[in-house]
Amino acid sequence: MDCSVIISACNERPHLLYTIQSLLEELRDYCKFEIIVVDNLSNDGTEEFFKENKEKGVKYIKYGKKKSHWNAKNEGIKIAKGRNLFFIDAHCIMGRDSLRTNIEFLEYFKGKVGGVH
């Protein structure tokens, strides 16, 4: 697995869907990847959406109780299988080729540097 993208979200369903779509467009046909959505106790239908829509390359996990933003990201790290980890907020959209550029940069330095949040 080339990269894992971890998204922590809480009641950001509409934005989250655009974020995931931008990631899929960026990474599909480029590398082996996984997108991990960590639902930090949303009550806006996020869980129902992911139960109904199984997108290849997208994993969904949900807590039983509210945790901090960073604890949510740590939960994603626990199941991540990617060689490189990236974090994006649920309300962000990837710029064209921005993640690809970061992956190439990290591959060039062979993991000796970390990505930027």
Side-chain angles (χ1 to χ4, degrees), residues 83-84 100-113:
R83 188 170 52 248
N84 300 304
R100 290 181 185 199
T101 302
N102 277 291
I103 291 168
E104 290 167 9
F105 180 80
L106 291 172
E107 291 297 319
Y108 177 79
F109 285 102
K110 301 195 182 357
K112 294 179 180 149
V113 296

Side-chain angles (χ1 to χ4, degrees), residues 42-59:
S42 295
N43 59 9
D44 64 349
T46 299
E47 182 175 15
E48 292 77 14
F49 173 81
F50 281 100
K51 284 182 179 177
E52 295 169 7
N53 300 284
K54 305 277 188 211
E55 177 67 47
K56 183 180 177 184
V58 179
K59 296 178 182 177

Side-chain angles (χ1 to χ4, degrees), residues 85-100:
L85 296 176
F86 297 94
F87 301 94
I88 187 170
D89 291 334
H91 57 270
C92 295
I93 295 177
M94 292 304 303
R96 189 165 202 60
D97 295 331
S98 60
L99 199 51
R100 290 181 185 199

